[in-house]
Amino acid sequence: MTSSAFLADEPATLPGWRFSVAPMMDWTDRHCRAFHRALSGRARLYTEMVTTGAVLHGPRERLLGFNAVEHPVAVQLGGSDPADLAQSARIAAEFGYDEINLNVGCPSDRVQEGRFGACLMREPALVGECVAAMKAAVTVPVTVKCRIGVDDQDPEAALDALADAVVSAGVDGLIVHARKAWLKGLSPKENRDVPPLDYGRAARLKQTRPDLPLAVNGGLRTMDEMRARLAEIDGVMVGRAAYMEPALLLSVDPVLYGVPAPAADPFAAVAAFEPYIAGVLQSGERLHAVTRHMLGLFNGRPGARAFRRHLSTHGMRAEADLDTLRTAVGLVSRERGDAREAA
């Protein structure tokens, strides 16, 4: 695989993430990323979080393998031991990833028990040590994804302390999920919605550190919202909106980069994606392994519900193939209609 850490028409200080799709557990696997690449040639894609223990001791090809079409693609690591992170970063770089990202934002109990994720917001010096160790181990960009604080922390002081530590360590960019994380009292799902968004806090960090490449994450759903954030900050990262409404990605290249999308519409994207799916089927995986990521593609069109139902029912079967997908697509109208019909 060839690595392309920077897009030619973007500033060399920005690791290609004017727009990126967030790392999401159980969602952004290699098939999801390949599908998203069929919708946007420029979006930076992220793996699910992979722990250092899994990288060092688990099945690396299954955990880290990816298709060259996914570039630019970043791996997100979870851990807090600088030596383990350095070794894991080195392994990931050898796989060809364009960026190594450290998770300092996940609030789950399991992650806290492992002393990584959002609880590291309380240990900025340790995060700086981790970044420095990874920077010494690899030549590709090393970035951090964090929150604006946890629990009763003051977001002004907490985010500044984290930024100070990672900048001193040579970080190449910071992605800020513009919410606090509540480590006690809220579930990981609630932590994605309940704490209020504070985009202004991320914007103030950019004002005080104009040389730090900075992206913002959290609650972004429309191109207009993204453009508003990009007037203040270098990049936007979109999570659930990109996954649940993947056709949104067809607007990324023309709206945010000024170049044509890889496909004219969702129908053309499916057709262009068929050779990839054929390869997956030939390898012995089932159709559902790919199409589970495509269920929201036609949202807003008459027949979208029938498309989802057909794939959810028939795509699970061992004999499901490209004809199963084509039949599902055939249930969708090429004309947008009443949203009630399309639900």
Side-chain angles (χ1 to χ4, degrees):
M1 303 174 197
T2 59
S3 175
S4 176
F6 302 99
L7 293 177
D9 58 348
E10 289 191 288
T13 56
L14 201 72
W17 32 271
R18 180 172 174 80
F19 178 95
S20 56
V21 178
M24 293 175 281
M25 291 300 296
D26 299 321
W27 288 4
T28 52
D29 63 18
R30 65 179 74 184
H31 300 321
C32 174
R33 298 190 305 266
F35 172 52
H36 285 174
R37 182 59 68 221
L39 302 170
S40 169
R42 296 301 184 96
R44 175 155 290 225
L45 307 176
Y46 284 75
T47 70
E48 304 167 88
M49 182 186 67
V50 187
T51 66
T52 54
V55 173
L56 298 179
H57 308 295
R60 290 177 187 170
E61 177 56 39
R62 181 172 66 80
L63 292 168
L64 294 175
F66 66 94
N67 191 295
V69 301
E70 297 174 39
H71 286 298
V73 59
V75 62
Q76 185 181 68
L77 298 178
S80 59
D81 181 272
D84 286 351
L85 281 164
Q87 188 176 352
S88 298
R90 190 179 300 110
I91 291 167
E94 289 170 354
F95 266 81
Y97 282 97
D98 300 300
E99 174 191 330
I100 313 296
N101 179 262
L102 177 62
N103 184 318
V104 187
C106 181
S108 77
D109 291 340
R110 182 178 66 85
V111 166
Q112 292 179 57
E113 289 169 2
R115 196 190 173 197
F116 59 95
C119 64
L120 288 176
M121 291 294 299
R122 296 195 184 111
E123 300 186 75
L126 175 58
V127 177
E129 291 175 23
C130 292
V131 170
M134 290 189 288
K135 285 290 294 179
V138 300
T139 58
V140 297
V142 173
T143 63
V144 169
K145 186 172 187 288
C146 67
R147 294 284 184 132
I148 59 174
V150 295
D151 297 338
D152 294 323
Q153 283 186 321
D154 174 1
E156 299 298 326
L159 188 56
D160 278 349
L162 191 283
D164 288 345
V166 298
V167 167
S168 295
V171 78
D172 293 289
L174 187 63
I175 304 163
V176 178
H177 185 161
R179 285 187 174 96
K180 269 190 174 185
W182 289 92
L183 304 181
K184 301 296 181 184
L186 292 181
S187 69
K189 181 178 184 299
E190 290 169 327
N191 263 299
R192 293 192 293 267
D193 294 302
V194 175
L197 283 161
D198 187 356
Y199 297 129
R201 178 64 192 96
R204 289 192 296 278
L205 179 63
K206 182 61 185 178
Q207 290 170 358
T208 59
R209 288 194 171 277
D211 295 331
L212 172 63
L214 186 67
V216 68
N217 169 231
L220 297 170
R221 297 185 178 278
T222 69
M223 285 291 140
D224 284 344
E225 291 172 346
M226 294 174 216
R227 283 186 290 197
R229 302 281 71 80
L230 288 168
E232 304 171 328
I233 290 172
D234 305 304
V236 291
M237 175 178 274
V238 178
R240 283 167 292 166
Y243 189 88
M244 305 306 291
E245 305 279 347
L248 173 71
L249 296 176
L250 287 170
S251 298
V252 168
D253 293 7
V255 173
L256 300 184
Y257 291 92
V259 298
D265 58 29
F267 298 95
V270 173
F273 195 47
E274 282 194 4
Y276 177 89
I277 299 174
V280 171
L281 295 173
Q282 189 173 13
S283 74
E285 289 191 76
R286 294 193 178 187
L287 181 71
H288 177 69
V290 181
T291 57
R292 72 186 185 97
H293 303 298
M294 303 172 66
L295 297 179
L297 181 60
F298 294 102
N299 288 352
R301 294 178 182 270
R305 181 184 298 166
F307 169 81
R308 294 193 301 269
R309 184 185 302 119
H310 188 85
L311 283 183
S312 297
T313 302
H314 300 282
M316 299 280 290
R317 296 175 179 172
E319 68 273 17
D321 57 15
L322 282 174
D323 284 338
T324 307
L325 174 60
R326 291 167 184 153
T327 298
V329 172
L331 299 172
V332 183
S333 171
R334 290 180 179 266
E335 300 296 328
R336 288 190 175 276
D338 191 318
R340 290 171 296 180
E341 301 175 43

